[in-house]
Amino acid sequence: MNVQLNDSGVPILRQKTLGQKVKTFLLWTILVILTLAAALLVYLCIAGANEMAALTTLKKVSDHPYYTMTYENFDYSDMVTKELGNNDAVIDFYKKKFFKGLAGVFPGGCEDDYATRGSLAFSCRTYSGRFMKGRIYNSYNTPVFMIITKPENGYKSWNIIDMADVGMDANTTIDQWYANTFQTVAASYCVSEGINSEFFGVSLISCPVAECDDTSLVNITPFMAVRLMLDRAATVDSAIELLKEYDIDFSSGSYHYLISDKNGDSAVIEYIDGKMSVTYSADGVCHQVCTNKMEDKTVQSASKDYSNRYEEISLYSLFEKTLDSQEKESIGTYPGYALVLFGDSSKSLKETTESHFGSNKYGTLYYVVYDSNKMRMQIVIDGDANNQQYTYDLQ
């Protein structure tokens, strides 16, 4: 290497041109950005490895849109003790978990808008002497999400979410799901329908009245209650005892629960005048139906005006009459027959005068039937049993 010296023998330093300076600056800038990106990636892999792994399984199944994802080895003990009052707070929890004080600069959060949704769920004996459960879900045309979860210390479960509950509208695309990481992962804590590997099932349904006293117990959201029951309960009795350990914050909306298990036990859990009220299936009856009207006999009169707002109330009469007739004739119900009943009762998505979460179409988003005999679930999206029916093994 030749070095030019001056008369005193000192090397002559050449001045960099402007172009060379700019090039050096850009190279250093890129290096700094790559270093920061690598550090953030390492941080995410450590702080949210399970969540990042779950996102890699996100899959678009149909153009409804209907998505699925698998979420394993999570622990939500910190979330429960934070007493999060609604789904928006659940998303904020994830932001703070991953990014501490930077949470506010990242997208996410629910709209302060809770659509009125009609629904029906049932539990009954099947033709084989086992039991089955079903649900029809009517709402505005928003994405449907099914997450298969397996917590660190809990049961595996199959969870169905209306993504309006975490603020995603009808026009959301899969690339936006990746961008809105917090809403996508937080959806597993905003479940309105599901069943676990013990064939214990929960349906969360809107209703006229729900009020829980704020005591010294930890507060959870109505949706978090579903998450806890699916993860920790195997029977109706164990689920009821579990909920007694928490207060439920119904500030975001009024809901009640139909729960059932593989033994054929079922119950509707409601919160009236601050206290839990449990309505079991009648003595000697092996079926129970729940819709948007109250089941507690002392407050059913409060449901009259509310019930008139729902066409789903007529579904209650249909299923109650059908299941009662089949039970009395000792023939039980075929899962396929239940799917047909739901299909005949499903609504086509039609234009409405209201708009919720980017949609002014209302109808049947999905219906689902769970069969304990074959330990499987069958879900139909958009009422399209020919092209959008999917089967999942519950074993």
Side-chain angles (χ1 to χ4, degrees):
M1 178 177 179
N2 295 322
V3 178
Q4 187 175 356
L5 305 176
N6 62 17
D7 295 339
S8 302
V10 178
I12 298 176
L13 300 178
R14 294 183 179 178
Q15 294 294 323
K16 291 184 177 180
T17 65
L18 178 61
Q20 289 174 320
K21 290 180 179 180
V22 171
K23 183 178 180 180
T24 301
F25 174 78
L26 290 176
L27 288 174
W28 276 105
T29 301
I30 293 172
L31 179 61
V32 170
I33 292 174
L34 291 175
T35 301
L36 291 174
L40 179 59
L41 181 61
V42 171
Y43 175 81
L44 289 175
C45 289
I46 296 173
N50 296 327
E51 288 74 17
M52 296 301 110
L55 287 173
T56 65
T57 69
L58 181 61
K59 177 183 179 182
K60 184 177 181 181
V61 181
S62 80
D63 290 331
H64 169 78
Y66 169 52
Y67 296 91
T68 61
M69 188 176 81
T70 300
Y71 184 25
E72 298 182 341
N73 301 318
F74 57 90
D75 179 9
Y76 48 78
S77 54
D78 287 345
M79 180 184 293
V80 173
T81 57
K82 293 295 183 182
E83 298 197 343
L84 308 176
N86 53 48
N87 292 346
D88 190 54
V90 171
I91 296 170
D92 284 341
F93 173 88
Y94 266 96
K95 295 178 185 178
K96 292 173 183 177
K97 176 181 177 183
F98 294 136
F99 295 101
K100 311 298 182 187
L102 297 178
V105 304
F106 288 88
C110 308
E111 298 178 35
D112 186 20
D113 183 9
Y114 291 85
T116 300
R117 286 159 285 183
S119 192
L120 174 138
F122 73 88
S123 173
C124 72
R125 186 189 296 275
T126 69
Y127 67 97
S128 64
R130 300 291 183 90
F131 293 90
M132 60 183 285
K133 179 181 179 295
R135 168 80 178 265
I136 186 169
Y137 187 94
N138 298 320
S139 186
Y140 290 85
N141 185 27
T142 49
V144 179
F145 195 17
M146 207 269 291
I147 305 180
I148 301 172
T149 61
K150 180 62 175 72
E152 290 182 357
N153 297 297
Y155 298 113
K156 183 177 182 178
S157 62
W158 291 257
N159 313 262
I160 308 174
I161 299 101
D162 176 354
M163 290 304 286
D165 291 324
V166 289
M168 288 192 176
D169 64 30
N171 302 312
T172 302
T173 59
I174 194 166
D175 61 305
Q176 292 171 305
W177 285 55
Y178 286 113
N180 295 319
T181 300
F182 310 108
Q183 287 159 290
T184 307
V185 178
S188 58
Y189 303 93
C190 306
V191 180
S192 57
E193 172 67 30
I195 198 161
N196 67 23
S197 54
E198 295 296 305
F199 206 78
F200 171 80
V202 183
S203 296
L204 177 146
I205 301 175
S206 59
C207 66
V209 179
E211 180 184 354
C212 181
D213 287 340
D214 188 2
T215 68
S216 59
L217 299 176
V218 172
N219 269 294
I220 59 175
T221 72
F223 295 85
M224 179 63 79
V226 179
R227 171 82 282 129
L228 289 172
M229 285 189 282
L230 289 174
D231 291 347
R232 301 181 185 178
T235 65
V236 165
D237 290 341
S238 62
I240 292 171
E241 291 303 312
L242 175 63
L243 288 190
K244 289 179 180 178
E245 300 176 12
Y246 300 91
D247 292 334
I248 300 181
D249 185 341
F250 289 104
S251 60
S252 63
S254 298
Y255 303 94
H256 55 184
Y257 307 88
L258 174 66
I259 60 175
S260 61
D261 61 34
K262 63 184 177 184
N263 301 317
D265 295 327
S266 65
V268 174
I269 302 175
E270 298 171 323
Y271 287 82
I272 302 165
D273 294 329
K275 308 298 180 185
M276 180 191 292
S277 170
V278 181
T279 303
Y280 296 93
S281 56
D283 290 340
V285 175
C286 294
H287 71 272
Q288 189 167 20
V289 182
C290 179
T291 187
N292 302 102
K293 71 184 186 70
M294 302 297 291
E295 288 299 306
D296 185 289
K297 303 301 181 185
T298 63
V299 294
Q300 278 193 345
S301 59
S303 301
K304 289 182 179 179
D305 292 339
Y306 184 92
S307 299
N308 290 337
R309 294 160 55 195
Y310 286 95
E311 295 178 24
E312 286 74 19
I313 301 302
S314 61
L315 271 180
Y316 186 97
S317 299
L318 170 64
F319 272 81
E320 178 63 39
K321 181 178 179 180
T322 300
L323 299 178
D324 183 62
S325 173
Q326 292 180 335
E327 187 173 319
K328 287 179 178 178
E329 295 176 14
S330 300
I331 59 176
T333 302
Y334 285 84
Y337 179 62
L339 285 169
V340 170
L341 277 179
F342 276 146
D344 291 343
S345 306
S346 64
K347 302 170 178 290
S348 298
L349 288 163
K350 296 181 179 179
E351 301 288 339
T352 68
T353 57
E354 296 183 49
S355 178
H356 294 273
F357 301 101
S359 172
N360 62 344
K361 288 185 177 181
Y362 185 93
T364 298
L365 293 191
Y366 69 84
Y367 52 88
V368 59
V369 171
Y370 312 92
D371 178 7
S372 70
N373 185 46
K374 295 185 177 180
M375 283 299 289
R376 72 180 184 184
M377 67 175 281
Q378 293 172 275
I379 183 171
V380 176
I381 307 298
D382 266 355
D384 186 0
N386 292 325
N387 301 303
Q388 296 191 77
Q389 178 169 313
Y390 308 97
T391 300
Y392 299 92
D393 185 358
L394 303 179
Q395 297 185 59

